[in-house]
Amino acid sequence: RNGIPCGGLLRNGNGRVRWNDWGIGLLLQGDLKAAEFAFRKAAQADPHYADAWVTVARALIQEGETEAAKPAIEHALSIDPSLARSYYFRALIEKADGDYDACLRSLHRVEQQYPRDRVVLNQIARILFLKRQYAQAIDYLQRVCDIDPEDVQMHYTAMLCYRGLGDLAKANREQMLFRRFKADEASQAITAQRRMVSPEDNNERQPIHDHESAPLM
């Protein structure tokens, strides 16, 4: 896959890093099963590499297999209890379980190390919204706004929180900002006709695809 000779990965001294990097590439392409395979190989190459176990859990979480991800996260934390990424992905598992208080505790552990991480702050705000603690959620969303005023998730959650508080004027403002900064999904229609007549172009657009040799002209 992706031009990487898999047979030599574990024989290389940096096998764990190469497997992990390959897995990340697969994960970004959306090839979750292959990514999980690569991450498990990274963990096999070095069982004490905590980040490999975190990435195994990450792939499983994206697959929706949160229960299967739990042992990987706990193993990562047993190796390195200070690794912030472990707490972030544990929080996603706790969120899926509906254990919002535990989720917040895990997210706050990450926040202590990375107080300006927009993803973490947005997640905290989202959990507070789900707990109907709208005013507290908005405090976190303001911190996100200070970092990036165009953050789409921030504006969407703020819209919901202001609706929860009954402040429709601010909710409508956040809705307008959300629509302004949201990716234009309709733009995909512009390329639709070209992709219909060109299998090669359509193939390139797919997140997961193969390249086949073509005769040279």
Side-chain angles (χ1 to χ4, degrees):
R1 286 179 179 268
N2 296 353
I4 297 178
C6 303
L9 283 170
L10 286 180
R11 292 195 295 271
N12 185 279
N14 294 321
R16 70 174 196 183
V17 176
R18 296 184 66 191
W19 276 115
N20 203 62
D21 289 348
W22 184 44
I24 290 171
L26 292 167
L27 192 71
L28 293 174
Q29 286 186 335
D31 198 343
L32 302 180
K33 279 297 183 183
E36 180 193 343
F37 170 82
F39 293 142
R40 288 191 183 278
K41 286 294 186 180
Q44 178 185 337
D46 184 355
H48 300 292
Y49 183 37
D51 208 49
W53 294 102
V54 175
T55 48
V56 168
R58 179 181 179 182
L60 288 167
I61 290 168
Q62 287 194 225
E63 290 179 57
E65 300 288 345
T66 52
E67 196 66 31
K70 290 178 181 180
I73 283 294
E74 294 309 316
H75 190 64
L77 285 169
S78 70
I79 297 170
D80 184 358
S82 66
L83 189 61
R85 282 163 48 83
S86 299
Y87 290 100
Y88 176 77
F89 288 107
R90 186 171 77 174
L92 296 187
I93 295 171
E94 291 161 342
K95 178 182 177 182
D97 287 345
D99 192 347
Y100 297 149
D101 290 333
C103 179
L104 284 174
R105 287 194 295 270
S106 295
L107 289 171
H108 287 313
R109 291 288 298 265
V110 186
E111 181 196 5
Q112 290 172 4
Q113 295 187 46
Y114 301 100
R116 288 178 58 81
D117 189 304
R118 291 184 296 122
V119 174
V120 174
L121 296 176
N122 269 321
Q123 281 287 353
I124 293 174
R126 178 65 182 175
I127 297 303
L128 290 170
F129 164 75
L130 293 173
K131 288 170 62 67
R132 300 187 180 183
Q133 297 176 10
Y134 305 127
Q136 288 179 259
I138 288 171
D139 288 340
Y140 277 93
L141 294 170
Q142 184 57 54
R143 288 172 59 183
V144 177
C145 188
D146 292 340
I147 298 166
D148 181 4
E150 298 184 7
D151 188 290
V152 176
Q153 185 61 51
M154 174 267 296
H155 287 299
Y156 180 75
T157 307
M159 174 188 72
L160 298 178
C161 288
Y162 282 122
R163 285 179 181 172
L165 290 170
D167 192 334
L168 296 184
K170 290 184 178 179
N172 289 337
R173 178 179 181 275
E174 294 299 331
Q175 182 176 351
M176 290 174 59
L177 290 170
F178 167 72
R179 287 177 173 174
R180 176 183 175 186
F181 298 126
K182 185 174 180 288
D184 183 8
E185 296 176 357
S187 65
Q188 296 297 331
I190 297 174
T191 64
Q193 185 174 0
R194 172 64 185 175
R195 288 186 282 107
M196 287 176 65
V197 299
S198 176
E200 293 81 8
D201 290 339
N202 187 60
N203 183 59
E204 285 298 318
R205 180 182 174 274
Q206 307 309 312
I208 305 171
H209 62 270
D210 293 326
H211 290 161
E212 296 182 359
S213 298
L216 298 176
M217 300 298 294

